[in-house]
Amino acid sequence: MPRELIRTDPDFDRQFEALLNQKRDEAHSVRDVVDGILSDVARRGDAAVLEYTARFDRLDISAGDLRIDAAEIAQARAKCDRETLDALALAAKRIKAFHAHQKPQDHSYIDDAGVRLGVRWSAIDAAGLYVPGGMASYPSSVLMNALPAKVAGVERLVMVVPTPDGVINPLVLAAADLAGVDELYRIGGAQAVAALAYGTESLAPVDKIVGPGNAYVAEAKRQVFGRVGIDTIAGPSEILVVADGDNDPAWIAADLLSQAEHDAVAQSILITDDAAFASAVADEIEQQLMSLDRRDIASASWRDYGAMIVLDDLMQAPALVDRLAPEHLELAVADPDVLFARIRHAGAVFLGRYTPEAVGDYVAGPNHVLPTSRAARFSSGLSVLDFMKRTTFIGCDGDSLTRIGPAAVRLARAEGLGAHAQSVSIRLDRGAGGEDSRKQDHQ
Amino acid sequence: MPRELIRTDPDFDRQFEALLNQKRDEAHSVRDVVDGILSDVARRGDAAVLEYTARFDRLDISAGDLRIDAAEIAQARAKCDRETLDALALAAKRIKAFHAHQKPQDHSYIDDAGVRLGVRWSAIDAAGLYVPGGMASYPSSVLMNALPAKVAGVERLVMVVPTPDGVINPLVLAAADLAGVDELYRIGGAQAVAALAYGTESLAPVDKIVGPGNAYVAEAKRQVFGRVGIDTIAGPSEILVVADGDNDPAWIAADLLSQAEHDAVAQSILITDDAAFASAVADEIEQQLMSLDRRDIASASWRDYGAMIVLDDLMQAPALVDRLAPEHLELAVADPDVLFARIRHAGAVFLGRYTPEAVGDYVAGPNHVLPTSRAARFSSGLSVLDFMKRTTFIGCDGDSLTRIGPAAVRLARAEGLGAHAQSVSIRLDRGAGGEDSRKQDHQ
């Protein structure tokens, strides 16, 4: 049984604090291992990648086989059943449509000092997408990571996916094809991250790396950060369901289990104002676990990290939600907007009784790559903005420089930066009102 | 003399490649030192912070003195001269005005399947701003880091600044005051980053840490990334000036020196189509260096990292600019927009002959915290978005779930996630068309 916290217990605050501080990441000492792999790939390129692939994925290939070609992708597609491909296509269409709204607008204006100011957005040239192999190789994740890059306008989208013992999920290749991935390589682990960051003979380097992976992949991304961009480092998944007693306990039990089945360190938390409902959900979970394929994982997660929090009033929930800053938040109440308006920190919110979190995992449209481990306090789910960057621009003419330049000179001198001051003052001495300058800057 | 690259040299490509790959970050082995400081502060709080402050800043204080109070700030303001304070106020006003344009819009809509979808932006609760002490303690940086946070709506903005031997730049305190910083502490180094990330008895933890610092600060930010958000890790500063022969060599020389004077590892590069102009600029630089206060720094930077690239035609410049992806790009030509339209990667662009980069450092309005070391390929300057995060939301009713749910069930089953499938299908069995669901989701 998972822990149960009752608001009216005198010990409630301490217990809630313990829940907040519970560690779910196992402590790995992977730093040095990853460091070694990264520098080896940076130095020896393909040769190193091939050696690690042989060692970790038990896959003995030559450099010519690193890339997965069009014929192999077509073959994989042919192996997938029609209805699943149709479902994948619907998901892709809806994800694209939602993300298209995220494309930022350029803007520019001339302010009252006569200075032309603005921002211009552009796509990253090349992005790398890490897709885990084996059990966690999900076609839906390929769509969720690849489509925002394509909507952003990334011209070269490279995907790496390890194929332990040569095995790959054909749906993953079908999803890559559907999403418009430009290059695919059968490599994984820290060596794949290194290849993406440094490049090898077979794989030109990319500018940013996204996608989930195990502890080695996460550490590799952390270490190459700076040389390339990375997305947020993902921790184990989590769901927080806020539900009143009018819900069907079986529905809420299924929602909690849908997170628990991901991973033995996933976390499912129920907040309710009805203790009897909480027990009914707990009973339902035991029932549903019996017929679940992934019952070993789900029951370990529920037992070790699950929690049920019983409040006197659901209006107490927002404060606790904000402290947990959950990746996924379901508001299974009659009027979810009342609670939603009071909540600041959550990756994605699922409103009302007919919006199970799983619908967002696949087909709703918003991204399912979301901040975990309380990172929703400071970060957002994956979006088109993650594959674009902003260039600001400034254009002065002689007149406008005369208006704002003296303050710059003053501040530069106060900071002891003489050349800064000089680069402005040298133009003030000669530039004010020049016709030539107007022409060049404001045409 | 800096290196000179002539496009028509047979060796040009190799020399340009060497310029790209030149290392300017010194290799420090700070990782383990920082690791030790972070865990010590996490464990011992204030006591550890005070010990490191005594050791590194030669400042022996007690916990009660960590915070810089309002009286001390008022005292500092009184020490600053009126004109500099006015210049700072003008800068603050213009920075606020530019950043106000960056506030993102929430949006939501109901799509043709009847699904309610949207995004809601909110500010980070608490942000920490690192301000370097000593020589690199710049009031302009305080404004540039603090104001976007305040425009975003960050309620608790904490600033840390080391005061080696107890010395602090009064203008830094005045700038903090002007920008609306809520709490100030006289600490720095990895110990200050640790205090911001983990909290101590005197300093409640923040959610995100921004601001420049030395190698120890950068490594500390890298290590706490995940627990808190961080901005991009800043490398040494750089400028790329694209200038035709119609410029005054003295103006361009001053611009190149304004970057070189920052730091001996700063980089100033000139691209021109006029070899005689390049020599004239080089001569001017030698001239101006003689009267520059920071001539030792600037001449080391120019000698070791400066470069002049001579092309046959300035239309060859955009391709090279994109490979360098400079932090600052000046387009000192008659019609800068023609070049600007062909450039994809740059942090900030300064258009025309009357826009020296230094005007952007202080008063133009756009942020001067910009991606260095080619990071403009994948990242942007600091903005209001860095202090906000996005929550997506999804609302289905029985009808819309009936439309999109079956595809989710199909994909969940294909991924072997039975509870995911179950959480949708259990609602499909009973939910379709329910009036109650419409009421709760679409009101």
Side-chain angles (χ1 to χ4, degrees):
Chain A
M1 275 295 291
R3 58 178 84 191
E4 186 167 1
L5 287 70
I6 315 285
R7 179 83 210 181
T8 46
D9 277 0
D11 203 29
F12 181 86
D13 289 340
R14 197 198 54 75
Q15 288 178 51
F16 187 76
E17 197 67 41
L19 183 68
L20 277 179
N21 293 322
Q22 190 181 25
K23 281 242 185 310
R24 290 185 293 138
D25 276 315
E26 292 157 66
H28 291 277
S29 64
V30 299
R31 201 169 69 180
D32 295 335
V33 175
V34 166
D35 199 10
I37 295 173
L38 294 183
S39 47
D40 197 17
V41 172
R43 202 173 59 244
R44 297 196 299 129
D46 279 348
V49 171
L50 292 169
E51 279 174 32
Y52 290 116
T53 301
R55 191 191 310 169
F56 297 128
D57 296 338
R58 299 161 303 279
L59 186 68
D60 231 326
I61 52 173
S62 63
D65 300 322
L66 282 171
R67 187 148 174 193
I68 300 175
D69 65 17
E72 191 170 345
I73 295 165
Q75 246 172 3
R77 265 191 79 90
K79 276 191 220 152
C80 304
D81 75 84
R82 192 68 252 163
E83 281 178 20
T84 308
L85 288 177
D86 287 347
L88 213 53
L90 176 71
K93 189 178 143 225
R94 292 185 56 85
I95 295 165
K96 253 191 261 185
F98 183 82
H99 286 77
H101 289 274
Q102 296 176 338
K103 272 198 100 161
Q105 296 293 313
D106 294 350
H107 76 103
S108 81
Y109 59 99
I110 294 177
D111 73 7
D112 52 13
V115 182
R116 180 177 158 206
L117 295 167
V119 302
R120 196 177 73 181
W121 289 87
S122 56
I124 289 170
D125 283 345
L129 162 55
Y130 190 95
V131 176
M135 200 179 75
S137 190
Y138 295 133
S140 59
S141 290
V142 174
L143 297 184
M144 290 289 183
N145 281 278
L147 288 169
K150 281 297 168 183
V151 170
V154 170
E155 284 188 9
R156 180 171 166 256
L157 178 59
V158 180
M159 179 175 130
V160 294
V161 54
T163 62
D165 301 306
V167 176
I168 186 161
N169 180 350
L171 272 173
V172 162
L173 297 190
D177 189 40
L178 189 61
V181 169
D182 299 292
E183 301 170 22
L184 276 99
Y185 298 88
R186 62 183 102 245
I187 54 176
Q191 61 273 21
V193 174
L196 289 168
Y198 302 111
T200 71
E201 301 88 327
S202 301
L203 197 170
V206 301
D207 302 306
K208 181 159 184 169
I209 302 172
V210 302
N214 63 20
Y216 292 86
V217 171
E219 175 60 24
K221 282 166 67 183
R222 191 190 290 267
Q223 289 191 22
V224 299
F225 174 52
R227 167 177 278 268
V228 296
I230 62 169
D231 57 356
T232 308
I233 300 208
S237 197
E238 67 220 16
I239 192 170
L240 173 57
V241 178
V242 177
D244 59 26
D246 293 340
N247 285 280
D248 184 333
W251 295 15
I252 301 302
D255 298 354
L256 293 166
L257 286 175
S258 77
Q259 209 56 230
E261 75 174 343
H262 265 299
D263 193 332
V265 294
Q267 182 165 53
S268 302
I269 300 178
L270 172 67
I271 292 184
T272 182
D273 56 353
D274 184 333
F277 176 73
S279 320
V281 169
D283 291 345
E284 261 296 333
I285 284 178
E286 299 307 322
Q287 280 297 317
Q288 292 185 20
L289 270 172
M290 285 192 279
S291 56
L292 205 62
D293 284 348
R294 296 166 69 95
R295 69 178 146 282
D296 291 349
I297 294 168
S299 64
S301 157
W302 179 240
R303 182 191 63 224
D304 296 340
Y305 300 105
M308 297 193 294
I309 301 176
V310 180
L311 307 178
D312 339 304
D313 185 333
L314 281 187
M315 292 311 286
Q316 299 166 334
L320 303 183
V321 171
D322 277 340
R323 293 191 63 200
L324 289 162
E327 180 188 14
H328 303 106
L329 171 66
E330 281 187 18
L331 299 176
V333 295
D335 188 357
D337 286 335
V338 170
L339 288 175
F340 186 34
R342 285 168 174 72
I343 286 162
R344 291 196 310 277
H345 308 314
V349 178
F350 303 84
L351 300 165
R353 308 190 202 283
Y354 285 90
T355 316
E357 184 273 327
V359 85
D361 281 339
Y362 296 109
V363 295
N367 214 285
H368 79 196
V369 179
L370 294 164
T372 60
S373 308
R374 308 185 59 218
R377 291 174 295 128
F378 55 80
S379 64
S380 311
L382 196 70
S383 83
V384 169
L385 294 183
D386 291 301
F387 297 97
M388 301 188 77
K389 68 268 180 350
R390 198 181 47 243
T391 297
T392 52
F393 55 90
I394 304 168
C396 289
D397 58 13
D399 284 340
S400 55
L401 189 65
T402 303
R403 286 185 204 108
I404 68 171
V409 173
R410 189 94 210 167
L411 291 171
R413 288 197 181 128
E415 292 186 351
L417 296 174
H420 282 65
Q422 163 87 345
S423 72
V424 178
S425 62
I426 199 171
R427 286 167 166 94
L428 292 177
D429 296 344
R430 285 179 13 208
E435 193 198 323
D436 173 57
S437 64
R438 300 195 78 91
K439 198 178 69 198
Q440 78 210 18
D441 290 326
H442 285 171
Q443 58 196 339
Chain B
M1 273 295 289
R3 58 179 83 191
E4 186 166 3
L5 287 69
I6 314 286
R7 179 84 207 181
T8 45
D9 277 358
D11 202 31
F12 181 86
D13 288 340
R14 197 198 56 74
Q15 288 178 53
F16 187 76
E17 196 67 39
L19 183 68
L20 277 180
N21 293 322
Q22 189 182 26
K23 282 242 183 310
R24 289 184 294 139
D25 275 315
E26 292 157 66
H28 290 281
S29 64
V30 299
R31 203 170 67 179
D32 295 334
V33 175
V34 166
D35 199 10
I37 295 173
L38 294 184
S39 48
D40 197 18
V41 172
R43 204 174 56 247
R44 297 197 299 128
D46 279 349
V49 171
L50 292 169
E51 279 174 33
Y52 292 115
T53 300
R55 190 191 311 169
F56 298 127
D57 297 337
R58 299 161 303 280
L59 186 68
D60 230 327
I61 52 174
S62 62
D65 300 321
L66 282 171
R67 187 150 174 189
I68 300 175
D69 64 17
E72 191 170 346
I73 295 166
Q75 246 173 1
R77 265 192 77 91
K79 276 192 221 151
C80 304
D81 75 85
R82 192 68 251 165
E83 281 179 20
T84 307
L85 286 177
D86 287 347
L88 213 52
L90 176 71
K93 188 177 146 230
R94 294 185 54 85
I95 295 164
K96 255 192 258 184
F98 182 82
H99 286 76
H101 290 274
Q102 297 177 339
K103 270 199 101 162
Q105 295 294 312
D106 294 351
H107 76 105
S108 81
Y109 60 99
I110 295 177
D111 73 7
D112 50 15
V115 182
R116 181 179 158 204
L117 295 167
V119 302
R120 197 178 71 183
W121 288 88
S122 56
I124 290 170
D125 282 347
L129 163 55
Y130 190 95
V131 175
M135 198 180 76
S137 191
Y138 295 133
S140 60
S141 289
V142 174
L143 297 184
M144 290 289 184
N145 281 278
L147 288 169
K150 280 296 168 187
V151 170
V154 170
E155 285 189 7
R156 179 170 166 257
L157 179 58
V158 180
M159 181 174 129
V160 293
V161 54
T163 62
D165 300 305
V167 175
I168 187 162
N169 180 348
L171 272 174
V172 162
L173 296 190
D177 188 40
L178 189 60
V181 169
D182 299 291
E183 300 170 21
L184 275 100
Y185 298 88
R186 63 183 101 246
I187 54 176
Q191 61 274 20
V193 174
L196 289 169
Y198 302 111
T200 71
E201 300 88 327
S202 301
L203 197 170
V206 301
D207 302 306
K208 182 160 183 170
I209 302 173
V210 302
N214 64 18
Y216 292 86
V217 171
E219 176 61 22
K221 283 167 64 183
R222 191 190 290 268
Q223 288 190 24
V224 299
F225 173 50
R227 168 178 276 270
V228 297
I230 62 169
D231 58 355
T232 309
I233 301 208
S237 198
E238 66 219 16
I239 193 171
L240 173 57
V241 179
V242 177
D244 59 26
D246 293 341
N247 285 281
D248 184 330
W251 295 17
I252 301 302
D255 298 353
L256 293 166
L257 286 175
S258 77
Q259 209 56 230
E261 76 175 341
H262 265 300
D263 194 331
V265 293
Q267 182 165 52
S268 302
I269 300 177
L270 171 66
I271 292 184
T272 183
D273 56 353
D274 184 334
F277 176 73
S279 321
V281 170
D283 291 346
E284 260 296 333
I285 284 179
E286 299 307 323
Q287 280 296 318
Q288 293 185 20
L289 271 172
M290 285 192 279
S291 57
L292 204 62
D293 283 347
R294 295 167 70 95
R295 69 179 146 276
D296 291 347
I297 294 169
S299 64
S301 158
W302 178 242
R303 180 191 65 222
D304 296 340
Y305 300 106
M308 297 194 294
I309 300 176
V310 181
L311 306 179
D312 339 304
D313 184 334
L314 280 189
M315 292 311 285
Q316 297 165 338
L320 302 183
V321 171
D322 278 338
R323 295 190 64 198
L324 289 161
E327 181 188 14
H328 304 106
L329 172 66
E330 281 188 17
L331 299 176
V333 295
D335 188 356
D337 286 335
V338 171
L339 287 175
F340 185 34
R342 284 167 175 73
I343 287 162
R344 291 196 310 279
H345 309 313
V349 179
F350 303 83
L351 300 166
R353 307 190 202 284
Y354 284 90
T355 316
E357 185 273 327
V359 84
D361 281 340
Y362 296 108
V363 295
N367 213 285
H368 80 194
V369 179
L370 294 164
T372 59
S373 309
R374 307 185 61 218
R377 292 173 297 127
F378 56 80
S379 64
S380 312
L382 196 70
S383 84
V384 170
L385 294 182
D386 291 303
F387 297 97
M388 301 189 78
K389 67 266 179 351
R390 198 181 47 241
T391 297
T392 53
F393 55 89
I394 305 168
C396 289
D397 57 12
D399 285 340
S400 55
L401 190 65
T402 303
R403 287 186 202 107
I404 68 171
V409 173
R410 188 96 210 166
L411 291 171
R413 289 199 180 125
E415 292 187 350
L417 296 174
H420 282 66
Q422 164 86 346
S423 73
V424 178
S425 62
I426 199 171
R427 287 167 164 96
L428 292 177
D429 296 344
R430 287 182 8 211
E435 192 197 323
D436 172 56
S437 63
R438 298 196 79 91
K439 199 178 65 197
Q440 77 210 21
D441 290 325
H442 286 171
Q443 58 196 340

